[in-house]
Amino acid sequence: MVRLIPRPPLARLHAPPPPPPPPRLPAGLPLPLLPAPALAATLLEAVSSSPSLPHLRHLHALLVRVPLPATSLPFLFSRLLRRLAALQPPHAPLPYALNVFSAVSPPDPFLAAALLRFAFLTQPPLLPFRVFSYLRGAHGTELPFLPFAFSTLAKSATASRSLLAAAAAHAVSVLVGGFDRHRFVENSLISAYVACGDVGAARKVFDEMVAKDVISWTSIVVAYSRSGDMRSAEEVFGRCPVKDMVAWTAMVTGYAQNAMPVKALEVFDGMEALGMVIDEVSLTGAISACAQLGAVRRAAWVQEIAERTGFGNNVVVGSGLVDMYAKCGLIDEASKVFHGMQEKNVYTYSSMIAGLASHGRASEAIALFKEMVDRANVEPNHVTFIGVLTACSHAGMVGEGRYYFAQMKDRYGIIPSADHYACMVDLFGRAGLVDEALDLVRSMTVKPHGGVWGALLGACRIHGKSEIAKVVAEHLFKLEPESVGNYVLLSNTLASAGKWDEVSKVRILMRKHRLKKDPAVSLFEGRDGLVHQFFASDNVHPRTQEIKKALLDLVAKLKLEGYVPILSSIVYDVNDEEKERLLMGHSEKLALSFGLLTLGSGCTIRIIKNLRICDDCHLFMRLLSRVESVEIVVRDNMRFHHFKNGECSCGGFW
């Protein structure tokens, strides 16, 4: 037998209880003898500044008892509802607000809008729709609605992130109010659709607007930038008759969040040049863009703007600056910003710990973690532990990794996520404990994601575990069938084992899925701040011939010092001469050659690469740092490598 569960008590909206008797006035207190307009003004001021619910109830009694013009009552009662909603915490129940509404007859549309606003501010997000239904059922066409009533419904849909509610607010604004062409309502509907993720519906409302204002234009720019459709955002932004700070900021953050850092900095530069107000959101977007580019000079420029605009000590901006400098290869500068911050929170510490970890300074990362929990009394979160475990992984600190992985749950009550397991798998894999890494994956308490299996596949590649690699790849292909990196990693693992027939099968599978390998690209920031881009075997750069000739000279010089190319870094079945030629075309070598041409020996060359640096390029740069007396900083997709005096900060773990 199926039991029907009754609706919540809100069904009582259809039959509100009778209003409670007004509080008894103190004996002997005469009613005010002021003229009606002055009395109304006095009561309005008293309601607006009332400190408590009992005081408001007392004023409510006065409003009912004293003689006031009928035209004053709706406004006074709406102000009473507004003050009731503003009490912290809100004490007035909805039935009391309904009684306030019922005190005015005939029902007043201004007071109805105030009642809906009260329901929105003090009750569950979708309750205004129930109140609206009650008002329609109780009063029908006798009660006309103001546009503000429908904007409140749209705001309720926004707060609840309910697309169904947004569509309902849209429908009643047309069918009941006829306000679908009221700009205030239209802007509220756009915001509701944007909050619910329906950019198409928001754009339809926008396109049908007769008169658009800056809020309308900005809302659509924000909608597209949040959804990642930067082409459409750019189109609307370009047509904005007036661009406010919110629109500019949306473009900066949109480009930054969608891996378009150059565009983000161009827009931020335009913002700054026009004298637009720079806030912490736009600054954070620009900081993120600099971090992605690894642009040192741009980073210093953004920090200067942060300090000039008064955000230098802002904890959010400061945490971003720490992360930015760490990702630009300036870990000491990141540390300087960190220690100079007056206020630090868990995100600040987590950014610094992660930065130290990515630069191979594991001992400092762990020491900072201990300072964080023991001296600063800052509680770590799951992100903090990802930084700590990454530090252990990059330094081969297996024992420490096991310890902190256990501490995370036992001491801090943080349940390990798939990301934490991925760190542990990476730690075991780098240390050669591939079988133990596989056992850990099989014993996970959460479902392993692509990052976990990817870390295990990477370990198989490093240690030549081709059979385990095939098992791991099957899981990855199911989880991420369109991720070309998984196919490439399996192919490279099989190629290193000389299993060329199986390599061919993987490449056929890639062609079947129409997957193409991501091209290797390296970025180098010149002395003028211009970022140069180099692809493998690049012939596009205007100084290509000069770069390649200089690279040949460097190879010849290093061979005299004992350099022997690591041909196994090429995973194609070609002869040794062809492998050596392909190694010469690696993007990081081209960027390095250009860096030496433009900066000279005795300098620091910073390179960012989108893929893992190969064994041969790693050896090449390590030797070159000693022969040419140059410091080389490379950020690959795993970590930073600081080459100096023939050594690398990674210590062989990467």
Side-chain angles (χ1 to χ4, degrees):
M1 179 178 177
V2 178
R3 294 184 61 192
L4 296 178
I5 300 175
R7 296 183 71 182
L10 293 175
R12 291 199 300 266
L13 288 176
H14 296 286
R24 185 181 299 277
L25 296 177
L29 179 67
L31 292 176
L33 300 178
L34 294 172
L39 179 58
T42 300
L43 286 170
L44 178 63
E45 183 179 352
V47 167
S48 299
S49 58
S50 180
S52 65
L53 182 60
H55 189 261
L56 274 173
R57 285 183 178 274
H58 183 80
L59 292 171
H60 184 193
L62 284 175
L63 291 175
V64 171
R65 295 186 60 180
V66 300
L68 290 169
T71 54
S72 304
L73 288 176
F75 185 71
L76 285 167
F77 279 124
S78 66
R79 185 57 62 92
L80 176 66
L81 287 176
R82 175 174 293 189
R83 188 60 194 158
L84 283 170
L87 291 175
Q88 294 298 324
H91 297 291
L94 182 60
Y96 181 75
L98 288 169
N99 288 333
V100 173
F101 172 79
S102 301
V104 176
S105 183
D108 182 79
F110 192 83
L111 191 53
L115 177 63
L116 288 169
R117 186 173 183 274
F118 172 88
F120 169 65
L121 292 175
T122 63
Q123 306 292 331
L126 290 178
L127 188 63
F129 286 91
R130 303 283 299 279
V131 175
F132 180 81
S133 296
Y134 160 71
L135 293 175
R136 286 279 293 163
H139 302 286
T141 56
E142 181 189 6
L143 174 61
F145 286 93
L146 298 175
F148 305 106
F150 301 102
S151 65
T152 297
L153 294 179
K155 289 176 182 178
S156 176
T158 300
S160 63
R161 299 293 192 271
S162 169
L163 184 58
L164 186 62
H170 194 173
V172 296
S173 72
V174 177
L175 299 175
V176 178
F179 290 117
D180 54 313
R181 291 294 180 266
H182 190 284
R183 189 167 59 193
F184 188 73
V185 176
E186 288 171 316
N187 283 340
S188 297
L189 289 171
I190 289 173
S191 297
Y193 282 127
V194 170
C196 297
D198 193 339
V199 181
R203 180 63 188 261
K204 187 174 181 181
V205 174
F206 174 80
D207 288 339
E208 292 176 355
M209 290 179 73
V210 175
K212 303 175 178 69
D213 60 13
V214 66
I215 296 174
S216 320
W217 288 96
T218 300
S219 296
I220 294 299
V221 171
V222 170
Y224 281 126
S225 64
R226 284 182 183 172
S227 69
D229 185 357
M230 293 310 298
R231 180 175 296 180
S232 297
E234 196 173 67
E235 176 261 324
V236 176
F237 183 75
R239 293 196 294 117
C240 281
V242 178
K243 301 176 177 68
D244 66 0
M245 182 191 74
V246 177
W248 282 92
T249 299
M251 293 302 292
V252 173
T253 55
Y255 280 132
Q257 291 168 0
N258 289 282
M260 303 169 74
V262 174
K263 285 274 194 179
L265 290 175
E266 285 176 359
V267 175
F268 185 76
D269 197 12
M271 246 185 116
E272 215 258 334
L274 288 172
M276 300 292 296
V277 175
I278 304 293
D279 65 359
E280 76 174 52
V281 180
S282 54
L283 263 173
T284 302
I287 287 168
S288 172
C290 288
Q292 293 175 52
L293 277 176
V296 174
R297 288 164 183 79
R298 283 283 199 169
W301 168 66
V302 170
Q303 184 185 11
E304 181 185 329
I305 293 174
E307 291 174 351
R308 189 175 72 239
T309 53
F311 288 99
N313 290 321
N314 180 285
V315 68
V316 175
V317 173
S319 300
L321 290 171
V322 169
D323 181 65
M324 175 189 72
Y325 276 122
K327 288 179 178 174
C328 287
L330 300 171
I331 190 63
D332 291 328
E333 192 66 31
S335 182
K336 181 180 176 182
V337 172
F338 174 83
H339 289 294
M341 291 177 64
Q342 297 176 1
E343 179 188 355
K344 302 181 184 75
N345 60 18
V346 64
Y347 303 104
T348 318
Y349 276 99
S350 298
S351 294
M352 193 66 223
I353 289 169
L356 291 166
S358 68
H359 284 267
R361 292 161 73 161
S363 298
E364 293 175 58
I366 291 173
L368 184 60
F369 174 78
K370 291 177 179 177
E371 175 191 313
M372 169 186 174
V373 297
D374 295 336
R375 296 201 340 235
N377 292 319
V378 175
E379 190 78 8
N381 61 16
H382 70 285
V383 177
T384 315
F385 276 100
I386 287 174
V388 172
L389 295 176
T390 299
C392 295
S393 175
H394 286 332
M397 301 165 65
V398 177
E400 290 84 348
R402 293 184 202 273
Y403 171 77
Y404 286 111
F405 187 71
Q407 284 277 295
M408 182 172 61
K409 181 180 179 181
D410 297 342
R411 180 176 175 182
Y412 299 102
I414 298 173
I415 304 301
S417 68
D419 291 334
H420 297 110
Y421 278 103
C423 291
M424 291 302 294
V425 169
D426 189 56
L427 169 61
F428 291 151
R430 290 176 188 275
L433 304 173
V434 181
D435 292 326
E436 187 171 348
L438 180 59
D439 290 340
L440 178 64
V441 174
R442 287 171 172 164
S443 67
M444 282 176 60
T445 56
V446 294
K447 186 177 180 180
H449 57 31
V452 174
W453 291 112
L456 187 53
L457 185 57
C460 293
R461 162 76 176 90
I462 294 170
H463 299 287
K465 301 283 188 176
S466 58
E467 293 305 313
I468 296 179
K470 288 189 285 185
V471 175
V472 173
E474 287 181 12
H475 291 279
L476 274 171
F477 294 163
K478 290 177 183 177
L479 284 171
E480 302 172 346
E482 303 302 318
S483 176
V484 67
N486 298 328
Y487 294 87
V488 172
L489 197 52
L490 175 61
S491 175
N492 291 349
T493 304
L494 296 170
S496 297
K499 298 182 178 182
W500 296 108
D501 290 341
E502 296 188 48
V503 170
S504 298
K505 291 178 183 178
V506 175
R507 290 175 179 169
I508 290 170
L509 196 59
M510 289 174 64
R511 287 195 292 271
K512 180 181 177 182
H513 289 284
R514 297 181 179 178
L515 300 175
K516 292 184 178 180
K517 181 181 176 182
D518 294 330
V521 60
S522 294
L523 305 177
F524 167 77
E525 184 185 14
R527 201 186 298 275
D528 56 359
L530 183 65
V531 177
H532 298 260
Q533 185 172 259
F534 297 90
F535 289 92
S537 303
D538 201 346
N539 290 307
V540 177
H541 197 278
R543 297 180 66 178
T544 292
Q545 296 307 315
E546 190 180 355
I547 291 168
K548 289 187 174 180
K549 182 180 181 304
L551 183 56
L552 283 171
D553 293 340
L554 289 173
V555 170
K557 185 183 291 188
L558 289 185
K559 283 185 175 180
L560 293 175
E561 297 292 327
Y563 166 62
V564 177
I566 302 176
L567 301 181
S568 60
S569 296
I570 298 297
V571 291
Y572 297 103
D573 191 13
V574 295
N575 60 45
D576 289 354
E577 183 179 346
E578 179 63 11
K579 287 183 178 181
E580 190 165 348
R581 187 191 68 80
L582 290 171
L583 286 173
M584 284 284 293
H586 278 196
S587 62
E588 58 266 54
K589 287 194 181 84
L590 297 174
L592 176 60
S593 177
F594 180 72
L596 282 171
L597 278 174
T598 54
L599 300 181
S601 297
C603 61
T604 299
I605 296 173
R606 303 178 189 278
I607 298 169
I608 294 177
K609 186 180 179 182
N610 64 329
L611 303 175
R612 180 182 182 273
I613 187 172
C614 77
D615 293 342
D616 182 71
C617 287
H618 192 274
L619 172 64
F620 185 87
M621 294 187 179
R622 188 163 59 80
L623 294 175
L624 191 69
S625 68
R626 174 172 55 81
V627 172
E628 291 292 323
S629 299
V630 62
E631 183 174 354
I632 306 165
V633 181
V634 177
R635 187 182 96 187
D636 68 6
N637 67 341
M638 299 298 295
R639 59 170 299 150
F640 275 90
H641 301 264
H642 293 258
F643 301 95
K644 189 174 182 180
N645 299 325
E647 300 295 334
C648 179
S649 60
C650 74
F653 286 91
W654 88 91

